[in-house]
Amino acid sequence: MSVRVAGIGTALPEKVVTNDDLAQHMDTSDAWIRERSGIGERRVGGSTVDMAVEAATAAIAAADLTPDDIGFLVLCTTTPEKTFPASSAMVAAGLGITCGAMDLNVVCAGFPYGYVAAYGMMTTPGGPDRVLVIGSDAMSTIVDWTDRGTAILFGDGAGAVVLEKSPQGELLGQDFGVNGDLESILYCDLGDTIVMEGRQVFKRAVRAVTGSVENALAQAGISAEDIDVVLPHQANIRIIEAVTQRLGIPMEKTFNVLEHTGNTSGASIPMAMAAADEAGVLEPGAVVLMSGFGAGMAWGSVVVTW
Ligand code: COA
């Protein structure tokens, strides 16, 4: 038995903050931010639960289903709205459903973890026929808006997919890991804002993602040139360029939204997936790579056939 993506949805808050807006109250510029990160603007003012419900509703509609068809819900988030209940329960309430629901926090690497967790759950005896996997993060709520090292990078958003049991959609390979010793280069204390050593995170991310993709490909028994579509975590276009160059994958195979969204953490890979879907490249049988990294330092890659 396999699992396919039956529907994709996204949500962004209305308020746009451009690089020029940021440059009005910190020592930075549109040119610097674009050159160093590829980001031109981001959205702010979203709530994790509201954005998740909006993206999930769109994904369910795209799959021609109703919320009652969902058998389980996974919410990948770094910005839960309360200590408890889990935000996933609030999202389920927003959708009007009572299936099992759980939060999953692997920060910016969350979506591949959620995808494989859902896949595993669906393929165990008695597992649900359809799982909603959502990435939703209101990063603007944990950014220090006076810190030019981090404020330029992050934004709010959500992306959701409906996974469904299907004869097509094979999981070919996966690779996950964390290096908890690196906490000091990227962390956010409870109730506080993001602290980051950007240059260190950049270097480690390139190394971790490259290695992780290599491991997932080796497990799948395929090579980089077999990949048709790359859905990378949307942190910095230079990280995506460095990784694809090392792996020998043409940038044209990657789908990116960060110019208009910034880094939306757990939402970024499903948003890249929506962009790939819009471009019409997610054909049945296409080999698709999703790869993320984030604080932890955590990484996760999954290779599937569409
Ligand atoms: N605007 C203008 N200048 C800035 C700046 C800003 N927003 N932020 C830093 N600078 C300055 C620095 O002070 C430094 O000046 P100096 O040379 O006089 O010391 C110079 O620009 C270069 O800084 P550096 O930190 O080396 O830049 P960089 O090329 O590494 O880019 C990041 C900085 C943050 C964009 C980059 O390191 C990055 O994206 N790292 C990964 C972060 C990430 O992905 N985090 C999320 C992980 S999920």
Side-chain angles (χ1 to χ4, degrees), residues 12-292:
L12 288 167
E14 272 178 27
K15 188 172 188 291
V16 178
V17 175
T18 65
N19 293 343
D20 285 330
D21 292 334
L22 293 178
Q24 282 179 12
H25 60 89
M26 60 177 66
D27 184 13
T28 190
S29 67
D30 178 55
W32 192 95
I33 301 170
R34 281 182 189 274
E35 189 197 318
R36 297 293 175 129
S37 70
I39 296 166
E41 61 187 29
R42 69 287 297 141
R43 303 291 186 98
V44 304
S47 107
T48 296
V49 170
D50 289 351
M51 292 188 297
V53 170
E54 189 183 334
T57 301
I60 292 166
D64 267 332
L65 298 169
T66 66
D68 288 333
D69 295 315
I70 302 300
F72 199 90
L73 188 160
V74 181
L75 176 66
C76 310
T77 189
T78 314
T79 54
E81 295 199 0
K82 298 175 191 295
T83 302
F84 64 79
S87 293
S88 49
M90 295 155 74
V91 174
L95 293 169
I97 56 178
T98 57
C99 63
M102 66 178 179
D103 284 16
L104 184 154
N105 179 0
V106 199
V107 203
C108 297
F111 193 78
Y113 285 76
Y115 193 101
V116 172
Y119 197 106
M121 183 174 270
M122 293 170 81
T123 52
T124 51
D129 291 334
R130 295 189 188 89
V131 178
L132 195 50
V133 184
I134 311 168
S136 183
D137 270 308
M139 297 305 278
S140 66
T141 61
I142 55 168
V143 162
D144 173 356
W145 289 101
T146 64
D147 173 20
R148 69 176 185 170
T150 52
I152 59 162
L153 295 177
F154 295 97
D156 300 347
V161 300
V162 177
L163 297 184
E164 141 179 294
K165 287 181 184 170
S166 153
Q168 78 195 64
E170 211 182 332
L171 200 159
L172 302 176
Q174 55 180 294
D175 181 70
F176 296 100
V178 297
N179 191 341
D181 290 340
L182 294 173
E183 180 190 338
S184 64
I185 65 171
L186 183 53
Y187 66 94
C188 180
D189 284 329
L190 283 174
D192 212 333
T193 52
I194 299 170
V195 179
M196 185 177 78
E197 286 178 38
R199 224 177 291 186
Q200 278 300 321
V201 172
F202 190 108
K203 273 197 287 190
R204 303 277 182 173
V206 171
R207 226 179 290 162
V209 176
T210 305
S212 178
V213 172
E214 284 170 349
N215 290 343
L217 291 177
Q219 198 186 65
I222 61 172
S223 65
E225 62 205 29
D226 298 318
I227 296 174
D228 298 308
V229 178
V230 182
L231 308 176
H233 170 47
Q234 304 287 298
N236 184 322
I237 200 72
R238 287 164 51 225
I239 294 177
I240 297 167
E241 286 166 353
V243 168
T244 50
Q245 194 186 16
R246 279 168 171 73
L247 292 166
I249 300 174
M251 266 302 275
E252 300 73 60
K253 289 187 177 178
T254 70
F255 285 82
N256 302 300
V257 297
L258 59 78
E259 184 184 355
H260 298 292
T261 63
N263 179 348
T264 55
S265 189
S268 83
I269 291 177
M271 285 212 273
M273 188 187 287
D277 190 39
E278 240 177 76
V281 297
L282 296 175
E283 300 279 355
V287 177
V288 178
L289 164 71
M290 296 170 242
S291 189

